[in-house]
Amino acid sequence: MSGNEEDLRRRLMKVHHDDMMFQALSCNANVSVDTCLGPDAVPFSTIVAAADLTPFDAIVKGVAEATQSSTCWGRPASYAINGDHGNFSHTCENSDSPAWWMVDFGDDNTAVGEVEIVNCQSGRKYRMVGANVEVLDADMSIVASKVVEDEQDIYYFNFDGAIGRHLRIIQHSKFNQAYEPLNIGEVEVYRAPALATGQTPYEHRYIKPGSNLTSEYVTGEAHIPCGVCAIVDYTNGDTVEIPRGINVEGMLYFPPTANVELRTPHLYVQGNLKIDAPNDDDGNKIKVHMIDTGYEQFMIPHVENEDQCSAVGCNFGKKAVGIAGGTLDIQALPDPSCPTWTFLKAVLDEEEGTNQVLEVGSKAAECWGRRLGNEILITDTIGWKSYASLIGTIASVNIDAGTVTLSSPPTTHTESNEKDFSDFNGQAPAGWISTLANDPDYPAEVAILSSSVTFDADTTQGNAGGRSWHCNVEQRRIGGHMMISHTSAVQRIEGVEFKNFGQSGKLGRYPIHFHICGDVSGSIVRKNIVRSSHQRCVVVHRSNNVIVEENVAFGHKGHCFMTEDRVETGNVFRKNLGADGQSLTCVENILGDKGDNQASTYWISNPKNQFIDNVAAGSINGFWISGGNDPIGMFSGNIAHSNLNEGIKLYEGNYRPNAPSLFVNSKSFRNYRQGVRLHLNKNIVFKGLLLADNGIAVSSFDNNNEIVFEDMTVIGLTAKAREFSVSLNPPISSGLHKETGICRFCQHTISGVKFASDPGHTQLSLQSVSFHGFEPHFDGTSEYDILALRLWGAFPGMHGAGGTILHGGDKRFWNMPFLEGVTIDSTDNGFDFERQLLTDQPQKMHGYFQDVNGTFHVDGPGVFIPQDSSGVVPDAPEFSFLADHRCNKANSRPDSLALFCAGSCIRKVFVHSNCPGDLLVTSTSTNEQSTFPPTRFRTLSAGWGKGYATDVWSTNLHVAFLPNDHYQLGCKNESGEIVNPKYMKVTFDGKTYQIRNNNNCCEHGWYDMNFARPPPLCSPYVDQGSFQLPEVPLYQHYEANEFLHPSNVAAEADGIKLWGVQFGGAHFGPVNFGTPGESRAVLLNWKKLSSHVRVHMRLDDGTLIGSVGNNDVEIDIPPEVSGIHEVIFTAHRFAGTHHFAKIISFDILPPFPTTSPTMSPAPTSSLVPTGIPPSMYELACGSSGSACAGRRQSAEINELHPLRCCADFDLGKAWERKYPNSCPAGVFGASKLGDTCHKAVTFSEGKSICESKGGRLCTIREVLSNCVRWTGCQLDKEMIWTATDTKSVMGIVFTPNDNSKWFPFGSTLEDTGELAFSVKATNDAHVALGSAEVHPTSRYVPNHVEIFIGGWGNKRSGIRPATGDVKNQIETSGAYLSGSDYDTFRISWTPTDIKLEHLAVCDWVPMVTMDRSSLGIIIDRAIVMTGWGSSGEFKHFQGLPSSCEASPSGYGKTFPPSDVVFR
């Protein structure tokens, strides 16, 4: 290999990074359409003629003979060349030395080019490692050889035209086990391309593109050099084969006169591709057809972008239209005002049943009739069967009448080529098509499916990744794809038909794909047609501000219109139509957690985008909002209909925005399952929805909070649905069972709002909601079960994953929806309890539903309660005060088990006490009495459906449903005798104790704690004044088994075991602390279960009463504490995850005889004198990715420096939430304020500017945590003003989330000494000790020992003999970093050892020790670092707190010295 070739290979080995962008080529600065129309233009036919037109040739497929060293398991050598990647060859174990596989080309002079080897996927991929891939001549001598260096799924080799007869794969040596076999999935060998005169094979394959057509470096591609414009001069409808691909570095222009089909394996655009609309009058068409070469394609970039690609170029894969730094300017619409789709106005021959004359409007008729023979799509809106959209061909149009006439009646059609769907093609509709005339709120959409500019592709069967035995379904389908890659230039794609694009199961291969382009403001994807996509439609991936509008997609697999990585913002999806989407099969669906196996027409991964007037018709799901913490940018005017599952889906995405998110003026109708589905959601407002003919209009499954439906119309069955209800339940083929799950109405069940019994969360709020179409319905076969409000079934473990359930005899106590201004036409089908929920275990149905306004019952207002099987009030004490004579059968429904108690306003009441037996309740007006047994707590320790829970015993909660009255409360013991309790407390509605989830579901803390529902809307109702409670005695003794509420405690007969404080504590009480001013104490009897543990005692309002570190000690109660409170005990220890302490009992002791002293306020201190503003503030580097990362400096307030601002909520367009993994929650950043960049302002000016825009100056930690990184104005490399004054952070070293940057910490150290420091970080705080002569330039610093704290997600800490030396580290386990507070450590070293300790209260506790004697490291300085998701703050430890009686032995000097400033 020559020196130039070696230099070229080194250049090509560079790796492309996500933050690197292709740049526009400067040599195209003067190239325009005028160039293409002028004398300097080059005819494209000339360029094609200069290209290598030799077809790529697969040598071995289907014709060659394969052999191997031995054959076992019935898998011969031929299996590796049969085209089936899952059917692999297999030599025998312990048989061959060496094992080999070989193929004979049948020609001694075969020029070998590309070789692709698919490794076996059966778990033995390592067997290929170390093998040689060899080209042999006829005498079996090695001509060329490559080595398999590592374990891969697919290997690519280029033999650059080596001449030989055979290809052999041979395993000479194995490192795992001698004589292991070879397993090969597939081998494909391609003939080397023809070579230009004087070229070596290497020069021909790896080529630097030239600057003109006569360059000696001419590839086999049709290459348009930079600075050159080529005009397509084919005008006769020619089909032109360009087998080596097209590479546009200059400009390729298709004028209106172009009429051609280009067939090529790739089209790379590094310059400009411009396509104008072909002349309609001449019938011109442009087609770019992507052909299959059989192997991956690589683009060699222009020299101006030479650093952007990997070893063999930029991998755009097979059949790619790849844009790398270039621009697309495709304006293929003869008339830009032509619609791509509209609502079907009428079917004029509807009565004849032919459905051929369609009224679509004059403009649509004019535009679509320009080319007769085009196909149109009519979507399904009645929902009588899956994939029931119709296809027809335009025969004529009448522009004045606004009609198109089809050549024959339209028939059902699916773009799928799967056998399960074949029965749907060619069927006539069920006699009726929905239009604006006959069904005005639910018309079908009609769309054009043809264009005069088409990009299509061969559809080939791709490999199944060797996993075909998992699913036993068809292999993946590989079509073409368009990728705009790392290119921030403005793109315009208008009026193109994309057909057979997308590559199923291949990440990044979609019909239209913006791939990591950053801000592409001005880019438009408009009025295109995506048809028969094998994977997705329009995908916006890490790209912002794209407009996607008025496109039509039909027959896509997987999601269709989508944002991919949850970080895309500012994109607008407007008036798009997607129809008949299908799921990716299990073989195809390898795209991670995006949910393409439940395809949605719109997949919304980041809500900070806009969705306006779009339609989702007939996919698996319509709109799927999948996560995010921000309100949606805009969701308005959207329509979802005829989908198999949900129209609008918020299920499984855990979408819980930090502010109300508004969904307005949208429709969801005739979806098989649900119109709207909710689960794990919060802060959602639906306003102006129309929901109709859904199996369930709104499904609120579980764990939803603060969900509001306002101004909504819900229709159970419209008149048309009732008319066609028999055909709404067709037979569904077995192959589609996995798609549909259950068909709509199969159970003959219609629900308006179906909600879960969910005690731990607020229920739905329905405001100004009208229910219609819930009258009884009989379809001639079955009576429908129709209900406006329906309760979900009580499934085991359904309630409150990770939370607390109030549980008494396995009873559930529900919160019901909040209703205001709700109306319904048929009260008989308003609300009911379902028999199926009551029959088996009627005791579960201990809930009620308050009909406040008389909306749901003719005798209302009142309350619904469940009845037992005999039709009377259930035998449950909760309903004791609702006498039978007040309640009657609620309705005439045959399965109803509901009673209605007219005029009753009841409230759910919780009574907490230490009654050893039942609670006695007496009505003071009637002297009626009832007893209420105690309710137990159930604490679920896993997510929904995990199937296990932990019952924690308690004897102090009673629940009752009480109408308005006055009640006297009492207490009974186990014998039924009346006794006086130590405490009693009444709470209402939903204010029950809820613990936060720290286990397996959703985000940390997704449970809302102690949410109190408002009082009932009905009146009068009971309140605190309705109850006379027993007096709570003073100075009582409390045993541990009298606790009120547990948070992850372990209850035993003689005490309660406490975990660490992060898991909560044990609640007691209420306890009577008497009157203010008394000197009292608490005597706590507890036991240490671990060393260095303290127990804190607090009141329910958070007030700390005291902290003890020894058993059986008295805690003085502050004299201002008085009245009745709960008491909470928590355990505190520096680390660990086991039980630390055991509470046995405590006593409230009587007052002391002495008067309590007057308490003085604690002294305060400030680094800045009160009233004098600081004169110096900190500057911080704008990005952890720039050269100044982590740097800070002080500045006088009158100096001029750049400005960026922060805000605590989203203030609009300029404000962005960047880097959420490092930036504190809820912080937004901005640079361009009022369309102005502020690069030189004073501190006061900057503060005023930020505040005038509703924001503030950022703190130094926010800037160093990347809260304003990448927010614009090119300030990432600048030092930015912060709100942090210099004195307040004196001595603190801030470290960014960058595990490759070290920062100096403190002054010079001695070779024997110690370093005590405090650090605030969530994980991975690192300190390196070594020589100051070594400058830290990377993660690995020579001659330094490394101390790591909180590694591996704050689970492991220890010492490494060298930075990054994980293999030889000494470690200990435990969570030593709290994240929110400073944690203190000490490192000490002698010539023989290095020790790491942690400060626990007042004691230094050893963690790990390492032998230093053999390390050879001189210690005279310390450097610090954080990373792996955590930023940090380091400061020197100032000494033990004054509360510690004495400094621990061995503790040395105090840091830092007074004359040292750390920066």
Side-chain angles (χ1 to χ4, degrees):
M1 183 181 293
S2 69
N4 288 338
E5 292 170 347
E6 179 59 32
D7 178 70
L8 184 58
R9 181 175 289 277
R10 282 197 300 269
R11 178 173 67 81
L12 291 172
M13 289 300 291
K14 294 178 181 292
V15 177
H16 190 279
H17 297 287
D18 280 354
D19 58 352
M20 299 174 68
M21 287 286 179
F22 291 103
Q23 302 302 313
L25 303 182
S26 61
C27 42
N28 282 326
N30 297 318
V31 178
S32 65
V33 174
D34 292 338
T35 309
C36 292
L37 298 176
D40 295 330
V42 177
F44 185 56
S45 59
T46 303
I47 290 176
V48 172
D52 183 352
L53 302 181
T54 306
F56 280 113
D57 185 6
I59 301 170
V60 303
K61 192 173 291 185
V63 296
E65 179 183 351
T67 56
Q68 58 190 18
S69 54
S70 60
T71 298
C72 275
W73 303 102
R75 295 184 176 276
S78 61
Y79 275 16
I81 56 172
N82 66 355
D84 184 352
H85 295 193
N87 205 358
F88 53 89
S89 65
H90 201 310
T91 65
C92 299
E93 297 186 56
N94 302 315
S95 173
D96 309 323
S97 181
W100 56 266
W101 177 95
M102 185 166 64
V103 63
D104 186 344
F105 304 141
D107 181 358
D108 293 351
N109 296 305
T110 301
V112 181
E114 302 281 349
V115 174
E116 176 182 326
I117 302 173
V118 179
N119 204 351
C120 171
Q121 303 295 307
S122 64
R124 297 290 186 269
K125 290 189 289 187
Y126 64 86
R127 289 174 171 169
M128 281 291 293
V129 178
N132 290 76
V133 183
E134 303 167 341
V135 175
L136 310 178
D137 62 16
D139 297 327
M140 304 301 291
S141 298
I142 298 174
V143 177
S145 180
K146 309 285 185 180
V147 178
V148 178
E149 296 180 347
D150 54 8
E151 187 177 305
Q152 299 287 343
D153 290 332
I154 302 177
Y155 303 96
Y156 298 100
F157 301 101
N158 194 317
F159 284 90
D160 303 321
I163 305 299
R165 169 85 187 208
H166 309 274
L167 183 85
R168 180 172 68 182
I169 302 172
I170 184 168
Q171 187 57 275
H172 289 287
S173 61
K174 290 302 295 181
F175 51 83
N176 287 325
Q177 178 181 340
Y179 313 129
E180 280 209 3
L182 276 176
N183 311 129
I184 302 172
E186 190 73 13
V187 177
E188 295 181 0
V189 183
Y190 295 89
R191 203 179 306 275
L195 305 178
T197 304
Q199 287 186 315
T200 67
Y202 181 80
E203 287 174 327
H204 186 89
R205 177 65 183 91
Y206 299 103
I207 194 76
K208 180 173 73 174
S211 59
N212 58 68
L213 293 176
T214 61
S215 168
E216 61 177 316
Y217 297 115
V218 178
T219 70
E221 298 171 314
H223 172 223
I224 302 171
C226 190
V228 171
C229 182
I231 186 168
V232 175
D233 52 335
Y234 299 103
T235 60
N236 297 320
D238 297 326
T239 298
V240 180
E241 298 278 346
I242 310 175
R244 303 289 171 171
I246 303 171
N247 193 338
V248 182
E249 292 180 342
M251 175 180 278
L252 177 60
Y253 174 47
F254 289 78
T257 56
N259 185 16
V260 65
E261 177 179 346
L262 303 181
R263 296 175 60 84
T264 186
H266 65 251
L267 170 56
Y268 298 144
V269 182
Q270 303 185 67
N272 187 291
L273 173 65
K274 179 170 177 57
I275 302 177
D276 285 342
N279 285 336
D280 273 339
D281 294 341
D282 299 329
N284 291 352
K285 292 186 177 181
I286 296 169
K287 177 184 284 189
V288 180
H289 184 92
M290 313 309 297
I291 61 176
D292 186 28
T293 63
Y295 68 90
E296 301 289 292
Q297 302 278 298
F298 296 84
M299 184 199 79
I300 307 302
H302 186 275
V303 65
E304 292 187 24
N305 283 314
E306 63 181 0
D307 293 332
Q308 301 298 313
C309 293
S310 61
V312 291
C314 295
N315 182 359
F316 278 104
K318 300 178 181 180
K319 294 175 274 192
V321 180
I323 294 83
T327 59
L328 299 176
D329 185 8
I330 305 175
Q331 301 183 52
L333 296 169
D335 180 353
S337 66
C338 286
T340 48
W341 69 272
T342 186
F343 294 110
L344 182 59
K345 296 179 181 296
V347 177
L348 300 186
D349 57 344
E350 180 180 353
E351 292 185 3
E352 291 85 349
T354 53
N355 300 318
Q356 288 179 251
V357 184
L358 310 179
E359 184 181 349
V360 297
S362 296
K363 188 63 179 179
E366 174 197 347
C367 296
W368 299 352
R370 292 175 181 175
R371 294 178 184 252
L372 301 181
N374 283 347
E375 287 187 320
I376 63 169
L377 165 73
I378 306 169
T379 62
D380 161 42
T381 59
I382 193 64
W384 50 74
K385 61 175 63 177
S386 309
Y387 306 111
S389 292
L390 305 174
I391 297 293
T393 302
I394 299 177
S396 64
V397 301
N398 185 326
I399 297 175
D400 292 336
T403 61
V404 298
T405 301
L406 306 181
S407 60
S408 60
T411 57
T412 58
H413 181 75
T414 172
E415 296 288 281
S416 175
N417 53 12
E418 299 176 41
K419 63 181 181 180
D420 288 339
F421 295 84
S422 60
D423 293 340
F424 293 112
N425 288 331
Q427 296 184 15
W432 179 73
I433 297 174
S434 177
T435 69
L436 286 170
N438 63 25
D439 203 14
D441 289 321
Y442 318 103
E445 296 79 25
V446 58
I448 187 71
L449 287 180
S450 305
S451 173
S452 57
V453 175
T454 303
F455 283 72
D456 73 353
D458 295 340
T459 296
T460 52
Q461 298 294 306
N463 77 82
R467 302 183 177 92
S468 60
W469 59 84
H470 289 176
C471 304
N472 195 27
V473 297
E474 81 291 345
Q475 294 178 321
R476 299 176 188 147
R477 287 177 294 280
I478 306 299
H481 75 99
M482 175 183 282
M483 176 186 282
I484 303 162
S485 178
H486 296 83
T487 298
S488 59
V490 174
Q491 311 293 331
R492 189 181 190 94
I493 308 169
E494 270 191 346
V496 180
E497 177 185 350
F498 293 87
K499 190 169 184 179
N500 294 321
F501 263 43
Q503 300 178 358
S504 58
K506 188 77 171 175
L507 190 65
R509 304 296 189 248
Y510 320 123
I512 303 175
H513 179 200
F514 283 81
H515 178 68
I516 314 182
C517 295
D519 185 357
V520 286
S521 296
S523 293
I524 296 174
V525 180
R526 175 185 291 145
K527 296 190 175 182
N528 302 287
I529 300 159
V530 179
R531 185 169 177 180
S532 302
S533 168
H534 304 308
Q535 182 167 269
R536 300 178 175 172
C537 304
V538 180
V539 177
V540 180
H541 176 209
R542 298 202 176 196
S543 304
N544 304 324
N545 303 313
V546 182
I547 296 175
V548 181
E549 63 182 6
E550 297 185 68
N551 301 282
V552 172
F554 174 53
H556 60 89
K557 300 209 73 174
H559 301 313
C560 189
F561 301 98
M562 63 177 291
T563 56
E564 189 167 7
D565 266 6
R566 304 182 187 275
V567 297
E568 298 82 10
T569 62
N571 301 290
V572 178
F573 295 82
R574 181 189 294 113
K575 205 177 179 182
N576 301 286
L577 167 64
D580 286 14
Q582 304 156 27
S583 293
L584 289 174
T585 67
C586 54
V587 163
E588 296 169 315
N589 184 32
I590 60 168
L591 301 183
D593 60 349
K594 302 295 191 295
D596 289 85
N597 62 329
Q598 288 288 307
S600 57
T601 307
Y602 301 86
W603 196 70
I604 305 172
S605 65
N606 187 342
K608 295 180 69 176
N609 299 281
Q610 297 184 30
F611 296 83
I612 306 165
D613 297 337
N614 301 285
V615 176
S619 185
I620 307 302
N621 301 294
F623 297 83
W624 188 350
I625 296 87
S626 180
N629 297 316
D630 298 291
I632 197 160
M634 182 176 289
F635 190 97
S636 175
N638 297 297
I639 299 173
H641 68 79
S642 312
N643 296 287
L644 289 177
N645 284 348
E646 287 86 32
I648 301 173
K649 178 174 182 175
L650 290 88
Y651 183 76
E652 297 179 327
N654 196 28
Y655 180 43
R656 301 170 68 81
N658 48 32
S661 188
L662 191 61
F663 295 73
V664 300
N665 300 330
S666 297
K667 298 180 184 180
S668 185
F669 60 89
R670 293 171 185 163
N671 299 289
Y672 267 48
R673 286 189 173 177
Q674 289 113 353
V676 177
R677 191 177 190 187
L678 303 165
H679 182 51
L680 303 176
N681 304 125
K682 181 180 180 180
N683 258 343
I684 313 292
V685 178
F686 295 93
K687 187 177 178 66
L689 290 190
L690 171 60
L691 308 176
D693 294 341
N694 300 287
I696 304 171
V698 176
S699 168
S700 177
F701 181 62
D702 204 5
N703 304 329
N704 294 304
N705 274 295
E706 300 169 47
I707 310 295
V708 177
F709 290 89
E710 185 178 351
D711 298 329
M712 177 173 69
T713 299
V714 182
I715 302 176
L717 283 178
T718 61
K720 284 295 183 183
R722 291 171 186 270
E723 179 182 349
F724 287 91
S725 59
V726 175
S727 60
L728 287 170
N729 292 301
I732 294 180
S733 69
S734 59
L736 277 178
H737 183 69
K738 65 179 183 296
E739 299 278 354
T740 61
I742 59 170
C743 65
R744 183 164 59 107
F745 309 158
C746 283
Q747 308 289 329
H748 297 92
T749 300
I750 301 292
S751 300
V753 176
K754 192 169 184 178
F755 54 93
S757 49
D758 195 355
H761 300 79
T762 64
Q763 269 290 357
L764 308 179
S765 177
L766 307 182
Q767 302 174 22
S768 300
V769 174
S770 59
F771 291 90
H772 308 280
F774 287 89
E775 297 82 9
H777 177 60
F778 181 75
D779 66 2
T781 303
S782 302
E783 184 72 34
Y784 274 59
D785 177 12
I786 301 180
L787 206 56
L789 288 182
R790 190 185 302 271
L791 182 68
W792 274 98
F795 302 108
M798 183 183 73
H799 308 278
T804 300
I805 288 178
L806 301 176
H807 179 264
D810 204 27
K811 301 165 189 165
R812 266 74 170 180
F813 302 98
W814 310 305
N815 296 324
M816 292 294 175
F818 178 90
L819 309 177
E820 185 175 5
V822 174
T823 62
I824 187 170
D825 292 343
S826 174
T827 58
D828 257 4
N829 291 325
F831 172 81
D832 204 349
F833 296 101
E834 294 179 282
R835 178 174 292 275
Q836 66 188 55
L837 301 181
L838 297 174
T839 303
D840 296 335
Q841 293 179 306
Q843 71 273 17
K844 288 186 176 181
M845 297 301 292
H846 287 213
Y848 66 91
F849 174 64
Q850 190 79 51
D851 185 3
V852 176
N853 300 316
T855 300
F856 294 96
H857 199 277
V858 294
D859 296 331
V863 62
F864 290 90
I865 64 172
Q867 63 182 349
D868 63 18
S869 56
S870 61
V872 298
V873 174
D875 184 17
E878 288 83 6
F879 296 108
S880 298
F881 291 93
L882 288 172
D884 290 349
H885 67 272
R886 302 184 193 174
C887 306
N888 300 293
K889 186 172 175 59
N891 53 58
S892 59
R893 292 163 52 85
D895 289 334
S896 175
L897 286 179
L899 295 174
F900 187 74
C901 309
S904 295
C905 180
I906 67 174
R907 192 175 190 185
K908 183 164 52 178
V909 178
F910 297 91
V911 180
H912 308 266
S913 75
N914 73 324
C915 287
D918 294 339
L919 176 73
L920 177 63
V921 180
T922 303
S923 168
T924 58
S925 62
T926 65
N927 290 323
E928 183 180 358
Q929 286 189 335
S930 183
T931 56
F932 294 81
T935 297
R936 298 169 67 83
F937 280 102
R938 168 172 285 183
T939 301
L940 295 184
S941 54
W944 179 85
K946 299 295 183 181
Y948 58 92
T950 301
D951 280 338
V952 181
W953 46 265
S954 172
T955 57
N956 49 24
L957 181 66
H958 309 262
V959 181
F961 302 141
L962 299 177
N964 184 58
D965 202 343
H966 285 81
Y967 300 94
Q968 185 177 36
L969 305 183
C971 189
K972 292 185 177 182
N973 61 19
E974 294 88 341
S975 302
E977 300 170 336
I978 296 178
V979 295
N980 196 34
K982 293 180 182 177
Y983 58 87
M984 187 171 286
K985 178 180 179 181
V986 174
T987 59
F988 299 100
D989 296 307
K991 193 169 183 179
T992 58
Y993 294 97
Q994 300 292 329
I995 65 169
R996 290 183 176 255
N997 171 52
N998 295 313
N999 298 305
N1000 302 322
C1001 197
C1002 322
E1003 83 270 23
H1004 175 77
W1006 66 289
Y1007 256 80
D1008 293 311
M1009 214 170 196
N1010 294 337
F1011 182 85
R1013 287 172 59 82
L1017 291 179
C1018 59
S1019 63
Y1021 53 80
V1022 293
D1023 57 19
Q1024 290 287 352
S1026 303
F1027 298 94
Q1028 180 181 345
L1029 277 63
E1031 183 178 353
V1032 179
L1034 295 168
Y1035 323 130
Q1036 292 291 310
H1037 172 79
Y1038 294 85
E1039 293 290 337
N1041 61 5
E1042 295 176 324
F1043 74 87
L1044 175 64
H1045 167 65
S1047 290
N1048 286 353
V1049 303
E1052 296 181 345
D1054 61 341
I1056 298 173
K1057 292 182 178 179
L1058 300 180
W1059 296 76
V1061 64
Q1062 67 270 30
F1063 296 106
H1067 295 234
F1068 291 82
V1071 174
N1072 193 340
F1073 286 94
T1075 58
E1078 295 180 326
S1079 297
R1080 292 143 297 140
V1082 174
L1083 177 62
L1084 179 62
N1085 180 13
W1086 68 289
K1087 181 180 180 181
K1088 286 189 177 184
L1089 302 179
S1090 182
S1091 59
H1092 310 289
V1093 64
R1094 299 182 71 84
V1095 169
H1096 289 187
M1097 179 180 178
R1098 296 182 182 273
L1099 302 184
D1100 48 10
D1101 61 3
T1103 301
L1104 178 65
I1105 294 179
S1107 174
V1108 294
N1110 297 310
N1111 300 335
D1112 300 322
V1113 297
E1114 292 185 6
I1115 303 173
D1116 291 342
I1117 300 175
E1120 63 270 21
V1121 173
S1122 63
I1124 298 175
H1125 296 271
E1126 293 172 19
V1127 176
I1128 306 168
F1129 292 101
T1130 53
H1132 295 253
R1133 189 178 184 271
F1134 66 89
T1137 57
H1138 56 277
H1139 291 113
F1140 294 150
K1142 184 175 183 178
I1143 305 296
I1144 299 171
S1145 67
F1146 69 97
D1147 293 84
I1148 305 295
L1149 301 180
F1152 299 136
T1154 57
T1155 303
S1156 58
T1158 302
M1159 299 183 66
S1160 301
T1164 59
S1165 61
S1166 174
L1167 293 174
V1168 180
T1170 303
I1172 302 177
S1175 61
M1176 298 185 70
Y1177 283 82
E1178 292 292 287
L1179 307 175
C1181 180
S1183 166
S1184 67
S1186 64
C1188 66
R1191 182 182 163 200
R1192 44 186 277 240
Q1193 68 187 55
S1194 300
E1196 297 283 348
I1197 58 175
N1198 292 323
E1199 295 179 22
L1200 298 177
H1201 294 285
L1203 174 70
R1204 283 175 163 174
C1205 302
C1206 288
D1208 297 316
F1209 46 87
D1210 190 353
L1211 295 175
K1213 180 179 177 181
W1215 298 84
E1216 299 180 85
R1217 173 143 177 75
K1218 296 291 190 178
Y1219 297 91
N1221 290 335
S1222 58
C1223 178
V1227 178
F1228 292 78
S1231 294
K1232 200 169 186 178
L1233 302 162
D1235 295 326
T1236 302
C1237 295
H1238 301 276
K1239 298 188 176 182
V1241 299
T1242 66
F1243 175 84
S1244 298
E1245 290 170 344
K1247 184 172 183 292
S1248 297
I1249 291 169
C1250 291
E1251 291 175 353
S1252 71
K1253 302 302 180 183
R1256 55 176 173 77
L1257 282 174
C1258 308
T1259 65
I1260 187 171
R1261 183 164 192 175
E1262 289 169 343
V1263 176
L1264 294 177
S1265 298
N1266 287 324
C1267 291
V1268 290
R1269 179 181 177 183
W1270 249 33
T1271 55
C1273 295
Q1274 299 181 333
L1275 298 179
D1276 280 2
K1277 299 179 181 180
E1278 303 296 328
M1279 301 298 290
I1280 310 297
W1281 277 118
T1282 77
T1284 304
D1285 69 275
T1286 296
K1287 284 189 176 182
S1288 69
V1289 292
M1290 191 75 72
I1292 298 177
V1293 174
F1294 291 83
T1295 53
N1297 174 22
D1298 187 341
N1299 39 283
S1300 63
K1301 294 184 182 297
W1302 294 91
F1303 295 84
F1305 185 59
S1307 56
T1308 301
L1309 302 175
E1310 297 176 359
D1311 200 50
T1312 297
E1314 63 184 21
L1315 176 65
F1317 63 96
S1318 299
V1319 59
K1320 183 190 293 185
T1322 58
N1323 57 272
D1324 284 283
H1326 294 246
V1327 180
L1329 304 175
S1331 172
E1333 296 180 357
V1334 181
H1335 183 64
T1337 59
S1338 68
R1339 163 81 180 90
Y1340 304 99
V1341 186
N1343 301 320
H1344 277 65
V1345 63
E1346 181 180 11
I1347 294 85
F1348 65 100
I1349 301 167
W1352 285 271
N1354 197 22
K1355 296 177 182 177
R1356 295 152 67 179
S1357 305
I1359 304 175
R1360 297 168 180 158
T1363 53
D1365 187 359
V1366 177
K1367 182 177 180 181
N1368 296 306
Q1369 70 187 25
I1370 297 175
E1371 67 177 51
T1372 184
S1373 61
Y1376 287 89
L1377 297 175
S1378 64
S1380 58
D1381 298 311
Y1382 281 100
D1383 299 284
T1384 302
F1385 303 86
R1386 180 171 67 177
I1387 307 167
S1388 57
W1389 57 92
T1390 67
T1392 58
D1393 61 40
I1394 300 175
K1395 181 189 298 183
L1396 174 64
E1397 300 166 286
H1398 181 276
L1399 182 62
V1401 188
C1402 298
D1403 300 317
W1404 291 106
V1405 181
M1407 294 169 63
V1408 291
T1409 302
M1410 174 173 281
D1411 183 9
R1412 181 191 175 190
S1413 58
S1414 60
L1415 300 182
I1417 293 177
I1418 297 174
I1419 297 177
D1420 58 16
R1421 70 100 177 266
I1423 51 180
V1424 294
M1425 175 186 73
T1426 49
W1428 291 278
S1430 175
S1431 58
E1433 299 176 17
F1434 291 78
K1435 64 181 181 180
H1436 284 266
F1437 181 56
Q1438 299 292 334
L1440 292 172
S1442 58
S1443 58
C1444 297
E1445 296 178 358
S1447 296
S1449 59
Y1451 181 71
K1453 54 192 176 184
T1454 300
F1455 292 90
S1458 59
D1459 59 342
V1460 178
V1461 175
F1462 297 100
R1463 177 142 321 154

